[in-house]
Amino acid sequence: YRSIVVDPGEPVYANHLVEQINRYIEKLPHFEGITIDRLDWTRHYNTHRDDGVSWFNDAPARSLHVSWNSIINKIAPILHDKNKVLFINNHVKRLDDIKQVDGIFDEFGDVAASINTNAFLCVNKPLLGWCHNKAAIGNDFDAFMQKHLHLGMYQIAHLPANDHALLADEEVDQLYLDYGQLLKVMKCKKWVLVPGVIKVVGNKAKANIFKTDS
């Protein structure tokens, strides 16, 4: 879309982003945190710089994954020091990208491959999924919601006039009312990573166990 990719590993731009975060905290002290969109840009390489580890098109370069980790190591402590959260929309699923991140807001929260991977990245972090529309739920509303419960994943709130996201209607409203209490008890969930901790007789259902603070 004729976009211009700016490298956050470049000091002048990194300084601008740090200044922006500090300005948010100063001017909007009640905000709860930020979500950084579209980590697919980190697939790119800055061929005008050398990060000392990356090689692209037979030449040294700076990977924007390296740049991401550099800038997030500056931004995240500022936010956390003020009790603000940092979420990301990680089109690229990498463990090293989320070390300083508090949670994931997955734009492809209605795509199985994406939510399966992010569920394992969020063993002890909140995971929120973006559902694009009612059609993405499919014909089996219960299966859709139970899949997210099984993975410990919340779904986006359905609101009137959502921006390319799930809209409210009678059926969707009822779905969230039906599963609201189950979603509520997932608060502060952490996966129980114990072998054989749960077993379903005859494999008639899928099961998972989380522990919570409550």
Side-chain angles (χ1 to χ4, degrees):
Y1 305 110
R2 304 175 73 114
S3 298
I4 295 173
V5 182
V6 184
D7 181 358
E10 197 64 24
V12 65
Y13 186 45
N15 291 339
H16 166 72
L17 294 174
V18 170
E19 179 188 349
Q20 190 178 68
I21 292 296
N22 284 319
R23 195 161 56 247
Y24 280 146
I25 292 170
E26 178 188 353
K27 302 295 185 183
L28 302 169
H30 299 297
F31 85 103
E32 295 182 4
I34 64 171
T35 298
I36 299 177
D37 197 13
R38 297 285 304 268
L39 257 65
D40 51 321
W41 295 109
T42 57
R43 294 189 183 109
H44 292 266
Y45 292 83
N46 183 347
T47 56
H48 300 287
R49 297 290 185 267
D50 179 5
D51 60 23
V53 294
S54 301
W55 193 261
F56 180 71
N57 284 345
D58 294 325
R62 183 159 67 204
S63 164
L64 294 198
H65 280 291
V66 173
S67 296
W68 160 263
N69 281 292
S70 172
I71 187 59
I72 217 64
N73 285 338
K74 296 180 176 72
I75 287 175
I78 298 171
L79 290 166
H80 293 153
D81 183 60
K82 298 297 183 181
N83 201 29
K84 312 294 184 185
V85 298
L86 170 62
F87 275 61
I88 58 169
N89 175 20
N90 62 332
H91 286 20
V92 180
K93 320 299 185 190
R94 289 176 54 129
L95 187 61
D96 60 326
D97 282 346
I98 67 166
K99 287 187 293 186
Q100 295 266 31
V101 170
D102 299 300
I104 292 174
F105 187 8
D106 185 359
E107 183 177 349
F108 296 102
D110 46 22
V111 177
S114 184
I115 66 176
N116 286 348
T117 307
N118 275 336
F120 286 106
L121 288 175
C122 290
V123 168
N124 62 348
K125 300 176 188 284
L127 174 59
L128 178 63
W130 185 287
C131 184
H132 289 84
N133 49 51
K134 188 176 176 180
I137 297 177
N139 295 324
D140 192 337
F141 277 35
D142 287 315
F144 175 83
M145 195 61 82
Q146 288 170 25
K147 175 169 60 178
H148 289 81
L149 287 169
H150 180 245
L151 294 173
M153 182 178 187
Y154 295 99
Q155 260 300 330
I156 190 172
H158 54 297
L159 298 169
N162 254 344
D163 177 13
H164 66 284
L166 188 64
L167 298 171
D169 74 10
E170 187 172 330
E171 282 187 301
V172 173
D173 289 349
Q174 190 59 52
L175 175 66
Y176 277 71
L177 289 170
D178 290 344
Y179 284 91
Q181 290 302 313
L182 290 171
L183 292 167
K184 186 176 180 180
V185 298
M186 283 204 309
K187 184 178 180 181
C188 299
K189 67 97 176 73
K190 295 180 176 67
W191 287 58
V192 177
L193 302 176
V194 179
V197 67
I198 186 169
K199 183 177 181 180
V200 177
V201 177
N203 291 322
K204 294 181 178 180
K206 293 181 179 179
N208 200 356
I209 288 183
F210 307 107
K211 63 178 181 179
T212 67
D213 294 338
S214 58

